[in-house]
Amino acid sequence: MRISVAADSTDGVAERVVSELRRRGHEVVTHGALGDGERDDWAWACELAARDVSEGRAEQAVVCCWTGTGASIAANKVPGVRAALCVDAYTADGARKWNDANVLALSLRLTSDVVLDEILDAWLAGRPSTDPADVANVAHLDAI
Ligand SMILES: O=C(CO)[C@H](O)[C@H](O)COP(=O)(O)O
């Protein structure tokens, strides 16, 4: 899968996100501090990754900032993006299952290497629920 990754810093797990995704066989596009001379402020970097998803250049994205909050807010401003700030495997699994999230937001501060691996395992294995109530909730997001 083609996955766009953005971060406002290379602190913490940002570079590990890229290496882990590549190790698992994914094609990774990078933005912000991980990119090549792009503006690395979180709002700009995370917008670029979210636009990759929205405009079909990537199937999913991972956006990172110190708290993860700004990254998720920026990504969620982009039409068609459902970004979820995930702190563990449970929230990552739920984000894929119940929210059909297409952008994973991470806190560089909170996410240890071990927790990152668990989040990526759950996120990449996760599939959207086909329960009609879940499908209706996700469909309503476009109407809000
Ligand atoms: O968590 C963040 C935004 O939600 C940023 O990473 C945090 O504000 C630090 O940014 P900067 O290094 O530019 O001061």
Side-chain angles (χ1 to χ4, degrees):
M1 172 167 36
R2 191 169 162 91
I3 303 177
S4 190
V5 181
D8 65 348
S9 130
T10 54
D11 289 352
V13 297
E15 286 175 331
R16 188 176 171 91
V17 171
V18 175
S19 60
E20 268 301 306
L21 290 174
R22 287 187 173 140
R23 191 183 66 76
R24 294 164 191 237
H26 298 283
E27 184 185 353
V28 177
V29 181
T30 55
H31 292 295
L34 300 166
D36 192 11
E38 288 177 343
R39 183 164 184 170
D40 62 3
D41 296 292
W42 54 269
W44 279 262
C46 298
E47 177 195 359
L48 289 177
R51 287 201 183 281
D52 282 347
V53 174
S54 177
E55 295 166 15
R57 289 183 295 276
E59 288 170 65
Q60 294 185 356
V62 183
V63 294
C64 312
C65 68
W66 191 240
T67 59
T69 309
S72 62
I73 293 171
N76 273 316
K77 299 293 284 186
V78 175
V81 164
R82 294 176 297 279
L85 176 54
C86 297
V87 296
D88 56 16
Y90 186 83
T91 48
D93 179 61
R96 292 288 295 124
K97 190 187 323 180
W98 294 312
N99 313 124
D100 193 10
N102 51 13
V103 174
L104 168 63
L106 294 174
S107 164
L108 297 173
R109 172 180 167 272
L110 279 182
T111 314
S112 68
D113 288 353
V114 171
V115 169
L116 173 65
D117 289 349
E118 293 171 359
I119 288 173
L120 291 179
D121 285 344
W123 178 269
L124 294 168
R127 295 290 177 269
S129 165
T130 56
D131 181 297
D134 296 328
V135 172
N137 272 297
V138 172
H140 186 62
L141 296 176
D142 288 332
I144 295 174

